[in-house]
Structures are given as C-alpha cells and as structure tokens.
Amino acid sequence: MDLFDSDEIDALTQKNNRIRELETLITKYQKSYYNGEAEISDAEFDALWDELKEKDPSNKILQAVGADSGNFQKIRHVMPMGSQEKAANPEQFLAWAVKHDYDEYLVEFKLDGASLELQYERGYLVRAVTRGDGTIGDDITANAKKMNGVLPAIFVDGKVLDFTGGVRGEVIMTHQVHKTHFSDKANCRNAANGLMKRKDGTGSEYLTLITYDALETTGKKYFNDEEEKINFLKSAGFNVVRLNICKNAQEVIDYRAKVMEERKSTLEYDIDGLVVKERAINFEDASRARPDRQIAFKFSLDEAVTVLRKVEWSMNGGTYTPVAIFDEVELNGTKVQRASLANPDTMRKLGVKIGSHVVVVKRGEIIPKIESVVPEEILTSEIIFPKKCETCGAELVDDGSRLYCPNKACPKRILHQLLKWQQVVDIRDLGETLITSLYKDGRLKCISDIYSLHIEELVPYFLNEESIEAEKESLGAKKVYASIQAHRKMNLQTFVAGFDIEGFGETLAEKLVGAGFDSLEKLLNATEDQIAAVYGFAEITAHTIVSGLKENADEMRNLANGIIEIESSGGGKLSGKSFCFTGELVTMKRADAEQLVKKNGGQTKSSVTKDLSYLVTNDTSSGSSKNQKAAKFGIPIINEEEFLKMVN
C-alpha cells in the first residue's frame, strides 16, 4: 500500500472534498430527475442532501429546487412549489414540534412521486406544470390530460365551478402497473418521472395524480382551512391524499409507526413519510422557498438481511478499523455492500463470523451498519485479525476498543500525527501536500520539527531551480513561515488534541481542563482512575488517554519548553463557553470565527450537543436541524453581531 495515499488526508480536506463531491452528485441527480428518468431514489437523494446540509448549511446548492428540461415550454406556477423541512426520526420531529405547538396536527401521506400543478381558469384546465425550480416548470399539459385523476374541468353539483387558480398533486405509478408494464424500471417513482416527461406523451395513461393542495387566485373562498381544502378537492372529483388528525406530537409519532408497519402490505402506491402541518392555511409561510410551519416526517431507513463474505481492515494512522463486505442489498434504493464493524469488541459482542447472516441498517446519514447477527445453524468461519502493521511490521495490539500499531516510529503514524497537528492548530498555509513532501524528504520527523523550519528550506517547494538561481523571492515560503510563527501560542486543550491520541479531541480535553487538570504536568501525571472519575469518561477512554499522553510526554514537554506557549486555561473572555457556527457569516469566514473563539479561551463544536453554550447563526428563526436541536436543549441562539459583542 502507498504510504502516502488518501487515508492520510486530514479531516478538513476530507470534508471539503466530500462537499465538492456532494455538490456534483446532487446537481447530477437533480438534472436527471428533471430531464427524464431519475437515477436514484428519493431516499438516497435525501441522504446526499442531508449530508451536504450538515457539512455546509449555507451551500448555494441547497437553495435551489432544480431545473426542468429544455424540451417543454416554461410556465410560471400559480402557487409556490418549494421544498420542505425534514425530520428523519422522532427526536428531530419533537424538536420541531417544540417550536410548533399546535392545538392539533393535520397529517397527510408524503407521496413518493413527482409534483405537478394543474392550472384552471373559470373551472377549465388550461395548463399542467411540473415543479421545475419551484417558480417555473415545464408545460406538460398534453401528457397530463392522459393521466388518471387529472380533471379537464371542475364540476360540483353537475355544474362547472367558477374556480381560477391552481391544484397541486403528486404523479404516482401504482405497484400493479409497475409490476405489469414497467418491471424493468428500478421503482415506481423513476418510471413515473420518466413517463410524464416524454415528448410524445406515450405511457402517461399509466400514471395517476393524487392531489393535496389548492389555491384560488380571484378572491373566491371555497375552503377555510387545510381539512376543508382536502374535502373541497374530494367533492370536486380529484383523488386526494389520506388525511389524519392528531391531538399532539406523540400521536403523530404513534401514527407514523402504524403507517410504517402497514404501508407495504396495504398501500397500492409508494409513500416515504408523512407531511405534518397546522389546521390554518398560512399563505405567508407557504410562499417561502422552504416553509417552516410544516415538516416532512420521513420514515425510518430500511433494514435487510445478507451474508457476510469477508472483512477488510482500513488503516487510519495507527488504528485498524474492520469493514464488513457482504452480499449486495438495497436499502431505500441504495445498493450497499460495505459497513463498518467499529472495533474488535463490537465484532465479538455481535458474534459475527464469515458466512453469518447479518442485519444491515442505515443510521444517521448514509453510512450502513451491521446491527445484529441472525442466529442460525450454518457453516461459518472465524474472522482473521491482522497481526502485524502493514507499514512497519510491528506486532499489532488488540485492546478490545481498538486494534492498533504500538510503534511510535511507524512512518504512517508519524505522518498522520503531523497532519493532525496542522489541522487542530489550524496552520492553514502549511497544507497536507507540503507536510507530506517535507516528511518524505526527511525534514519533518516530529511536531517540533515544524517550528524549526526556515524560509530558505521552504523555497524549493515553491520555486524551481531556475527561479532560485535568479534569486527570486518566494511569497509562498514566506507565507508558510509566517503562519507557523503565528501559531506558537495556544490553549492546553488544543495543544494535547493536536497529538492525535485516539478519541482524544478538543472536546474531551476541555472537560479534563475544566475538571482541574489545567496544566500540562497535571495531565501527564494523571492516573487512569483519576480521569475515569471525571463525568463523561469511562475506563476504556481513560486507559487510551493515559497511554497516549505517556507515549507523547517527551515531545509535549519539549514543545512546551520554549517552542509553544500554552496559555492559561482560566483566561479569555469566552473561557468556559462553547460555540457552534452554522450558516453564512458576514464579517468573516467561519474558520476565522472559530479561531477567534479559541484565542479568547472558548471552545468550538461542529454540532449541537446538550453542553453547548451558544449556537451562532444569522438566520435565528430558521427551521434547520441545528436550530431545532438547540431549541430542544434550551441552548441560546445568537446572531453574528451578538457573538462579536461578546468578544469585543
């Protein structure tokens, strides 16, 4: 294996690369969705969308709905057709419900199809428009007229109703139609989306429209609330979505569980969740690109049973992580063959072996996990653990919680620690490419070596021999040198977190500092029992931390003896406070804001946890997942201006 492969890219670079990859995938799949036949399922697309939202909430891709093809005339919608906030589990839904405490909740099926708006004038259908970018879509009227449930005119009591406005619904394909005529397509949704946008209209007669929204634009009032709206559509002859009324948030959760259990056996079409809203019709909220007063309560991800065929071991730094390889299964439209097994203890607890029938589920975003082993009397074989480090040949240590190379001089471990230091201390101009080159050339062998670099040594990494002979100056070399010198002062938690001790990041280090281990010597002299006694620490974590500190003690003391100035933990305007930033900032980049927190004695977090002090966002009223979670935990949500006042 290449010693300097992609496993060594630091976490920040991995995150940025993943963001770029998500942008490309989402753009690609949006284009395929709006131009014919979707390549992936709604569930798989949602997983990509949610991952990008978590990693980069202000990304411009998230503000766009999509764009239809150029094959049809473009028509502006009568009613807004934006996206919805989503809750993937009961916890997220309850966090939303805390801010939206309605007397009752109107709950509709979330249809798994393609949105369509029917536009009527004086009761007669004049246009049928796809979702498009949420404002303008494709005119597919000719195709829509062939669909079941699309009414050429709205009749009530035998007379054409004087209705001018829009009716919104979802174009779906039933399971029976899919099985009989389009079994070659991956699923009903993909087949329906492809048929409805065929230029010649062939196949649209196999599709059905189910409606759930309406808007009269001339001032006439045919309904007063959301329930009356559904009843109006039903009385006019439209197919309508199923509606259930729940008295409280828990009833919604219970109803969701019931529908999840029944949907595959009783429903003739696909749904992927519930839409929860208030009784009152809220035009202002509906006009937003992402309405806040209603939410899509998604179903839990599927699970599948498959056969474990082998286990691969992924090496990250000195730690070997087991990865299960099994017969391919499909979870919500995603084909899956790999899942993490976490560590040796997890494998032993599961009792997993080669040939075992295992239950695979998706948790969180898009990462699959083996949840259990199906007890069966079948022929299996033991999983073989690696014995020696593939890089240095040292005997690996299996302490249950991890399998790792104990050799501190292992080349892969050294490089990983150098990259970790650069990331945690945030020496931005000293990137992984330069660190890797300096390491390969033998110039960097430990963290202390970073601070002994001179401009002259860095010049060859920026200029070629001809430029050097011409005595040209290297601005890049000067910039790296200046950045290194600017990072000779830091707090204790940043200092120890930079040493790449397994599972010992700034958050845990901050807790130990707050518990009284507020100097380097106190940390280095701490026993496992003393650390395990701190709230939030267990015996295994304490053992790993003490071992890691002992292993790096000489280097830590060397750095602290004149190279790095470790600031007192008690100082700083933000001492004892933690901040999580989300969304776009106006006066600075997020990385600069996080540095400002650290320089003032505070701590930054990438997610909202119960012990977070403040969530900082310029959209304090947003219905984002972080805002919802902060509200649930009672964490103050402040804007950028309020944050800067705390610092200044």
Side-chain angles (χ1 to χ4, degrees), residues 293-574:
R293 297 190 65 80
Q294 59 178 265
I295 193 169
F297 194 179
K298 306 283 281 187
F299 291 144
S300 295
L301 296 169
D302 284 347
E303 64 179 36
V305 177
T306 184
V307 179
L308 178 67
R309 297 302 179 185
K310 65 178 181 177
V311 171
E312 295 179 351
W313 295 85
S314 173
M315 185 181 183
N316 185 18
T319 301
Y320 284 72
T321 303
V323 179
I325 312 297
F326 42 78
D327 291 344
E328 185 178 275
V329 293
E330 187 167 315
L331 300 179
N332 275 359
T334 306
K335 293 181 179 180
V336 177
Q337 281 186 296
R338 302 166 64 90
S340 172
L341 281 166
N343 57 52
D345 272 352
T346 298
M347 297 170 66
R348 296 182 184 110
K349 184 177 180 181
L350 287 169
V352 66
K353 297 180 180 181
I354 303 299
S356 293
H357 285 71
V358 294
V359 178
V360 184
V361 300
K362 275 190 174 182
R363 300 296 186 207
E365 295 175 349
I366 202 169
I367 301 173
K369 169 190 173 184
I370 291 181
E371 188 163 82
S372 61
V373 173
V374 179
E376 290 182 296
E377 293 185 7
I378 55 176
L379 184 63
T380 60
S381 59
E382 296 294 332
I383 296 170
I384 298 175
F385 283 44
K387 300 296 184 182
K388 293 187 177 182
C389 175
E390 62 187 38
T391 302
C392 70
E395 293 287 333
L396 298 181
V397 175
D398 178 359
D399 68 2
S401 63
R402 64 185 182 123
L403 181 68
Y404 66 97
C405 171
N407 179 18
K408 181 169 172 55
C410 176
K412 199 156 193 174
R413 285 193 60 188
I414 294 173
L415 179 57
H416 198 271
Q417 187 179 63
L418 291 168
L419 293 167
K420 182 72 172 183
W421 180 268
Q422 180 269 338
Q423 173 207 337
V424 173
V425 177
D426 198 26
I427 311 176
R428 297 183 205 172
D429 297 305
L430 182 66
E432 81 265 4
T433 302
L434 180 55
I435 287 178
T436 301
S437 297
L438 287 164
Y439 175 77
K440 290 172 68 175
D441 292 342
R443 181 57 183 86
L444 294 184
K445 298 178 181 178
C446 62
I447 294 171
S448 297
D449 288 345
I450 293 174
Y451 295 91
S452 67
L453 289 168
H454 297 289
I455 294 176
E456 294 74 16
E457 295 177 281
L458 294 168
V459 169
Y461 295 92
F462 293 90
L463 299 180
N464 56 32
E465 291 184 7
E466 183 179 343
S467 297
I468 294 174
E469 289 177 1
E471 297 184 352
K472 289 186 178 181
E473 292 186 344
S474 171
L475 295 178
K478 288 184 175 181
K479 191 174 181 182
V480 169
Y481 178 78
S483 184
I484 292 172
Q485 302 312 309
H487 290 81
R488 286 180 177 268
K489 181 186 294 188
M490 64 197 68
N491 58 38
L492 180 58
Q493 53 265 33
T494 299
F495 179 83
V496 295
F499 275 82
D500 197 27
I501 298 172
E502 181 76 18
F504 191 38
E506 289 184 85
T507 300
L508 288 184
E510 171 76 13
K511 288 182 178 179
L512 288 184
V513 171
F517 300 94
D518 52 4
S519 72
L520 179 58
E521 287 305 316
K522 287 181 181 179
L523 275 176
L524 293 178
N525 293 322
T527 66
E528 291 184 23
D529 288 342
Q530 288 173 327
I531 290 180
V534 177
Y535 178 76
F537 290 79
E539 292 181 2
I540 293 176
T541 304
H543 172 72
T544 303
I545 291 173
V546 170
S547 299
L549 290 171
K550 181 179 179 180
E551 183 181 62
N552 291 281
D554 290 343
E555 173 76 351
M556 288 181 172
R557 288 190 173 106
N558 181 55
L559 279 168
N561 189 23
I563 298 176
I564 297 295
E565 180 185 345
I566 301 178
E567 299 173 308
S568 171
S569 60
K573 298 176 182 178
L574 304 181

Side-chain angles (χ1 to χ4, degrees), residues 39 41 74 128 634:
E39 299 178 49
S41 69
K74 303 301 178 184

Side-chain angles (χ1 to χ4, degrees), residues 123-138:
Y124 291 95
L125 177 67
V126 292
R127 284 173 294 274
V129 186
T130 62
R131 184 182 186 185
D133 65 1
T135 303
I136 296 174
D138 283 347

